[in-house]
Amino acid sequence: MTKPRILIVEDDRDLREALVTTLELAKFRVHEAADGHEALRQLARVPVDMVVSDVNMPGLSGHELLAEVQRLYPGLP
């Protein structure tokens, strides 16, 4: 059984890298984005099973990203 593909969206590089490394060690397939706009570009290219996002980010906030993900990819957790 293949582990889910997760997109991590976090503007703090060190925290993002720590989250990605932790999930990769658990054998998850992980993609990362530094902000909401980059996350939307990644989602258009690579399907994922889940998005985990920071809430407070410059530009597109986590709440705004969530609304856009729900609009474009209904049902994506």
Side-chain angles (χ1 to χ4, degrees):
M1 179 179 207
T2 304
K3 291 259 188 159
R5 187 180 310 257
I6 301 171
L7 174 61
I8 299 295
V9 187
E10 171 60 61
D11 60 320
D12 180 310
R13 185 177 63 87
D14 293 334
L15 179 53
R16 185 176 66 250
E17 288 179 2
L19 291 167
V20 168
T21 299
T22 300
L23 290 167
E24 286 176 339
L25 287 171
K27 306 295 185 210
F28 286 95
R29 298 173 296 160
V30 184
H31 296 270
E32 59 185 284
D35 59 49
H37 295 291
E38 183 180 344
L40 291 173
R41 287 191 295 274
Q42 289 229 13
L43 287 169
R45 290 192 315 261
V46 179
V48 298
D49 301 299
M50 179 185 300
V51 177
V52 177
S53 178
D54 186 5
V55 173
N56 297 312
M57 296 183 291
L60 193 65
S61 75
H63 293 292
E64 293 165 326
L65 173 60
L66 174 62
E68 193 64 8
V69 168
Q70 289 177 334
R71 185 180 73 78
L72 294 170
Y73 308 98
L76 178 63

